[in-house]
Amino acid sequence: MTWLESTPLEDLMAQAAAKRDDAFGRTISYSRKVFIPLTKLCRDVCHYCTFAERPRAGHAAYLSADEVLAIAKAGQAAGCTEALFTLGDKPELRYRAAREALAELGHETTISYLREMCALVLKETTLLPHVNPGIMTREEIASLREVSASQGIMLESTSERLCHQGGVHYGSPDKLPEVRLDMIRVAGELAVPFTTGILIGIGETRTERLEALVAIRDLHEQHGHIQEVIVQNFRAKPDTKLAGADEPDLLDLLWTIAAARLILPADVHVQAPPNLSPGVYQKLIGAGIDDWGGVSPVTPDHVNPEAPWPELEALGLRTAEMGKILVPRLPIYPAWIADTSRWLHSKVATRVLQSADAEGWARDDDWAPGLTFAPKPRPILLNKVDPALERIIDRAAAGKRLDEPEIIRLFAARDADYERVLTVADELRKAVSGNTIRYVVNRNINYTNICYYKCKFCAFSKGKTHEALRGTPYDLDMSEIVRRSQEAWDRGATEVCLQGGIHPDYTGDTYVNICKAIKAAIPGMHIHAFSPLEVTQGAATLGLSLTEFLTRLKDAGLGTLPGTAAEILDDEIRAIICPDKINTQQWVDVARAAHALGLRTTSTIMYGHVEGPLNWARHLLVLRDLQAETGGFTEFVPLPFVHMEAPMYLRGMARKGPTLREAILMHAVSRLVLHPLITNIQTSWVKMGPEGAAMCLNAGANDMGGTLMNESISRAAGTQHGQEFPPEAMEQLIGSLVRTPIQRDTLYRPVGNERRVVSFNAAELAPVVQTPPRKVMAGE
């Protein structure tokens, strides 16, 4: 390690920054948290500490449950995601007042009471507890793992000298290096996401600092649990034994940060508290940090109360000045969230999923698909786009096939990078589609909500006989299907879109007869019907090949197929969300067979649940490659997951849908990735809402989809948006974007004036009749 001390600081910092950039790119993270000082009593007597207090008459030894909850709820109201419990080390072993207070609270130990308070915060708020209670036994660590997202203890130093008489840790039994290292080891064995760090300037040598960092490195290499290492600079405080001691200077701090980055494994985050180094944030970034730690808009730093937190706006600006993007995180970092089954107790994992975005960062707004509001756009702080991102964008704009890492990088875009992706996507949209936005006047007809598949995301389908399962099951009479189709035609529709559950009594003839009945009644109506799942099931019931069955449907009047049932075209995800459904290859086989017969199809993605950018990339490449082969897709439709009533969300298995940034990026990135093969990108007003749809239309989308007249599937999942977006409203929204509305048919051809005139000022819809379940005969 002597090279670290002999290398010039400037070179050392450059090497550290390069290693940081290779691992974490442009992001500098922070945790928006509240500090909950459960008790300030402590059995240790560290010579620099002002946090620890002695018992005082009239002063409670511990915060009450009401006080804890009040702090936590204040944090929640301020947008925090973490509740950091700070407290002294085992005060009951030193103070009778602590033992008596614990007894009144119904506990024998501080850790037991801490566990109860963590459980309370988990139950009553949206915050995730992080605990830093000092030395714990294996049993105590395991107990707290059930109610916290992460744990931590500062190693501070591995110097035993500091524990001898005259050293800062003399008289503090919990500061023995071997004790602290053993606890960190046990936390690793128990798979606890962990924070540790070193405290510099307390009498240790540089060599001893390096030894501490090496010890941390070795523990992480054994167990993989060290999320972050804090490099904290000692600050002299009045009324302590070190009140007059020299503090480490800036160069010493920068050297230690750079050394930590270079010694520690690439996946370990390096943090320096910003409130302890005001005015030099850019230098800390230059030395290799990638995290600012916890910053609270509500509570002070109880360990360093003399050092106020920076304003988040200022922290973002200073971070941007170094070409970095400030990103909020949870107390557990993305790499550990990627494997929640290993690192988190199931109850905590649910809260983490609900709080995280697709990359594992903290959700940065309260929006979710189906809600009737959209957050305001954030200011752009960076003045330069990442050159590597520009190269990816240039390749996409030239029509090149991107690879998975390139697509993942596009989905990670934030700040100026995000705006650049949206801008280029919209430029491509204009080059391909001009200044127009298209929509189709159509009607959705969901002919049955009975389904024998068990897709975990679906709030629409009902069991065959269980009427209490998310509503009443129905199975439409043919006469009702035809009536709705005729009514749609009379209101100006050119298309009926038919989909439904996979009814156990349906056969391929059921689908054929639906087409025949509609065509017999309304010859001019375009039938857009039957997902690849329905086609696969229908063909199987008749013992026909896909091509034979699709030919029968086409002869019966089927015009095009919806590309739904795609969800995520990655079998790793399908095994989680729809294990009994068709797989990726089967979905592709139906689309390929349809295209070969001249039956064009749409393509979709349903995103924002358990998948991530890698799965999105795989999905888009499946579509691009098939389109290159067949040319049969008319459009791509991103469908954000609506979580409110989805079974897998209610069971704690999914996120709250995509964030607004992710939803808009899905439209923009798909424009880039699918260019120039799929020219139409559609936005779902049902899921995005009018405001969200307008944002997507400025980010690469060129189509508003259908007016629908009836919408059942998203409404069942919990969307707040209406069931119809009539032509008048469509064209008003399109006009507000200074675009030209064009009413189209299913194949993107302009409709005749007669249809257009009829579609405006249409009569009110008659009440629908949801026919109760009945036996369906194959030849009906």
Side-chain angles (χ1 to χ4, degrees):
M1 295 292 178
T2 55
W3 66 273
L4 288 169
E5 298 194 54
S6 61
T7 301
L9 179 58
E10 184 177 347
D11 293 344
L12 206 64
M13 290 173 61
Q15 293 177 41
K19 183 178 179 182
R20 182 265 322 280
D21 292 347
D22 285 345
F24 304 116
R26 303 193 90 185
T27 59
I28 301 289
S29 54
Y30 77 100
S31 177
R32 197 177 180 102
K33 67 175 70 175
V34 288
F35 283 69
I36 302 178
L38 192 63
T39 180
K40 291 189 173 184
L41 303 182
C42 182
R43 72 165 176 168
D44 295 321
V45 289
C46 301
H47 299 179
Y48 46 77
C49 179
T50 58
F51 175 80
E53 298 177 350
R54 293 177 177 273
R56 289 180 290 163
H59 190 274
Y62 293 84
L63 293 180
S64 68
D66 288 344
E67 290 171 322
V68 168
L69 205 53
I71 296 171
K73 287 186 174 179
Q76 177 178 306
C80 296
T81 56
E82 176 180 343
L84 168 59
F85 282 89
T86 55
L87 53 155
D89 212 315
K90 291 184 171 51
E92 66 272 21
L93 297 182
R94 180 178 181 184
Y95 297 115
R96 184 176 67 181
R99 294 190 292 273
E100 292 174 349
L102 285 170
E104 291 180 7
L105 293 167
H107 293 272
E108 291 186 2
T109 68
T110 298
I111 300 300
S112 173
Y113 183 53
L114 172 62
R115 187 187 192 284
E116 180 184 329
M117 293 302 96
C118 288
L120 180 68
V121 167
L122 271 178
K123 179 182 178 182
E124 299 294 337
T125 76
T126 60
L127 302 186
L128 288 160
H130 168 81
V131 297
N132 188 18
I135 296 298
M136 294 183 285
T137 65
R138 177 181 292 270
E139 292 72 25
E140 288 171 333
I141 296 171
S143 174
L144 286 175
R145 186 181 186 274
E146 297 178 2
V147 291
S148 63
S150 54
Q151 300 179 30
I153 189 171
M154 288 288 285
L155 176 58
E156 296 194 7
S157 177
T158 53
S159 172
E160 293 188 2
R161 292 186 306 103
L162 302 182
C163 299
H164 298 158
Q165 189 168 4
V168 294
H169 292 151
Y170 181 67
S172 300
D174 300 300
K175 292 301 175 81
L176 291 171
E178 64 269 24
V179 172
R180 295 174 96 75
L181 287 169
D182 188 60
M183 180 185 148
I184 298 172
R185 176 188 59 79
V186 172
E189 292 174 352
L190 294 174
V192 174
F194 209 79
T195 293
T196 189
I198 61 173
L199 180 60
I200 69 169
I202 55 173
E204 82 295 345
T205 65
R206 280 192 170 185
T207 298
E208 288 170 334
R209 290 181 202 170
L210 299 181
E211 290 171 350
L213 292 168
V214 168
I216 294 170
R217 179 198 67 191
D218 292 346
L219 286 168
H220 179 72
E221 288 179 343
Q222 292 175 43
H223 305 291
H225 66 306
I226 305 295
Q227 297 191 110
E228 61 186 344
V229 171
I230 304 168
V231 179
Q232 182 170 332
N233 46 316
F234 159 74
R235 295 284 297 267
K237 297 177 176 63
D239 301 321
T240 67
K241 291 185 177 180
L242 296 187
D246 292 333
E247 298 178 348
D249 62 22
L250 178 60
L251 295 181
D252 198 19
L253 175 61
L254 297 177
W255 179 87
T256 309
I257 291 171
R261 172 62 70 194
L262 293 171
I263 289 173
L264 295 168
D267 61 333
V268 174
H269 298 264
V270 175
Q271 174 194 129
N275 60 320
L276 300 185
S277 302
V280 294
Y281 300 157
Q282 298 96 323
K283 293 184 181 296
L284 301 182
I285 293 173
I289 70 159
D290 69 287
D291 187 79
W292 290 120
V295 178
S296 179
V298 177
T299 53
D301 179 353
H302 290 283
V303 177
N304 298 284
E306 76 287 353
W309 299 116
E311 294 289 335
L312 287 174
E313 292 79 5
L315 191 61
L317 284 169
R318 301 292 84 77
T319 302
E321 288 171 1
M322 291 296 290
K324 301 297 180 183
I325 302 168
L326 188 64
V327 179
R329 64 166 172 85
L330 303 174
I332 177 171
Y333 282 81
W336 285 261
I337 291 176
D339 190 4
T340 55
S341 61
R342 175 184 178 189
W343 294 109
L344 293 172
H345 188 274
S346 58
K347 293 180 181 179
V348 180
T350 294
R351 176 64 52 79
V352 167
L353 283 174
Q354 293 171 351
S355 303
D357 68 12
E359 294 178 274
W361 300 114
R363 297 179 73 91
D364 56 3
D365 58 52
D366 293 327
W367 181 86
L371 298 181
T372 56
F373 76 96
K376 295 179 180 179
R378 287 177 172 77
I380 303 303
L381 302 182
L382 291 174
N383 57 19
K384 185 179 179 182
V385 175
D386 181 8
L389 183 73
E390 284 282 19
R391 290 191 290 272
I392 297 171
I393 290 172
D394 289 344
R395 280 176 36 77
K400 303 293 185 182
R401 185 187 188 276
L402 302 182
D403 59 25
E404 289 177 4
E406 289 174 317
I407 299 171
I408 291 169
R409 176 64 187 92
L410 291 175
F411 278 120
R414 296 172 186 263
D415 201 270
D417 293 349
Y418 169 79
E419 289 297 320
R420 181 61 177 156
V421 171
L422 269 55
T423 297
V424 175
D426 207 47
E427 290 170 352
L428 281 180
R429 182 271 312 159
K430 187 173 183 179
V432 169
S433 187
N435 204 39
T436 61
I437 296 175
R438 293 173 172 80
Y439 69 97
V440 62
V441 179
N442 67 347
R443 184 170 197 170
N444 266 15
I445 302 176
N446 302 119
Y447 39 77
T448 184
N449 62 354
I450 298 171
C451 186
Y452 62 78
Y453 283 87
K454 301 295 190 294
C455 300
K456 296 176 183 177
F457 54 83
C458 183
F460 169 74
S461 67
K462 312 293 181 279
K464 183 179 179 184
T465 59
H466 297 86
E467 294 194 8
L469 180 62
R470 303 191 300 276
T472 303
Y474 65 83
D475 178 15
L476 296 187
D477 282 330
M478 191 70 77
S479 60
E480 175 65 8
I481 295 174
V482 173
R483 186 199 69 77
R484 293 190 197 182
S485 301
Q486 182 66 60
E487 184 178 34
W489 181 263
D490 294 341
R491 298 177 89 244
T494 59
E495 169 198 305
V496 284
C497 177
L498 297 114
Q499 297 180 94
I502 306 301
H503 195 297
D505 294 332
Y506 280 19
T507 72
D509 284 334
T510 308
Y511 304 123
V512 170
N513 290 334
I514 288 173
C515 293
K516 287 180 177 179
I518 293 172
K519 275 297 183 181
I522 316 111
M525 182 68 83
H526 182 97
I527 300 176
H528 180 64
F530 314 131
S531 73
L533 176 61
E534 290 154 296
V535 171
T536 301
Q537 184 257 0
T541 62
L542 300 180
L544 299 175
S545 69
L546 293 175
T547 298
E548 290 170 333
F549 181 53
L550 285 165
T551 299
R552 287 189 60 182
L553 289 172
K554 184 178 181 181
D555 292 345
L558 180 66
T560 53
L561 288 79
T564 48
E567 328 313 353
I568 297 292
L569 293 174
D570 183 343
D571 289 336
E572 290 181 16
I573 300 301
R574 299 182 79 80
I576 298 170
I577 67 173
C578 52
D580 57 347
K581 210 168 188 175
I582 56 174
N583 61 28
T584 298
Q585 188 59 55
Q586 289 171 310
W587 189 95
V588 168
D589 288 344
V590 173
R592 179 183 285 116
H595 296 171
L597 292 172
L599 288 168
R600 302 196 70 185
T601 73
T602 66
S603 58
T604 65
I605 186 172
M606 193 271 290
Y607 63 104
H609 36 91
V610 301
E611 80 314 336
L614 172 60
N615 314 110
W616 300 342
R618 291 172 177 170
H619 183 107
L620 290 174
L621 290 175
V622 168
L623 298 181
R624 180 186 172 93
D625 292 345
L626 185 58
Q627 184 74 341
E629 175 189 336
T630 69
F633 291 127
T634 55
E635 69 218 59
F636 175 66
V637 190
L639 300 171
F641 172 62
V642 178
H643 73 280
M644 296 80 164
E645 299 298 329
M648 67 181 181
Y649 177 79
L650 296 176
R651 295 170 188 162
M653 298 168 57
R655 302 192 302 276
K656 296 180 179 179
T659 65
L660 184 62
R661 181 188 69 87
E662 291 167 343
I664 296 173
L665 269 177
M666 181 60 74
H667 294 75
V669 172
S670 64
R671 170 66 71 183
L672 293 169
V673 174
L674 300 175
H675 177 72
L677 302 178
I678 298 180
T679 56
N680 297 304
I681 307 296
Q682 183 183 122
T683 185
S684 170
W685 62 264
V686 173
K687 301 175 189 296
M688 294 297 303
E691 288 180 277
M695 293 179 182
C696 295
L697 292 167
N698 283 322
N702 67 304
D703 191 83
M704 276 286 287
T707 59
L708 298 185
M709 299 190 194
N710 295 114
E711 200 293 315
S712 302
I713 296 174
S714 294
R715 295 287 291 182
T719 182
Q720 299 174 1
H721 304 299
Q723 298 195 58
E724 182 174 20
F725 208 132
E728 295 88 342
M730 283 278 192
E731 300 208 356
Q732 182 179 7
L733 175 62
I734 293 167
S736 72
L737 300 174
V738 197
R739 306 273 178 83
T740 302
I742 293 182
Q743 201 175 108
R744 63 166 176 87
D745 69 6
T746 312
L747 294 171
Y748 282 79
R749 302 170 299 199
V751 302
N753 190 57
E754 180 272 334
R755 289 281 83 199
R756 177 175 167 80
V757 170
V758 173
S759 72
F760 282 82
N761 300 308
E764 291 291 322
L765 288 165
V768 297
V769 177
Q770 305 289 54
T771 315
R774 59 195 170 83
K775 185 72 175 179
V776 177
M777 302 307 294
E780 178 178 309

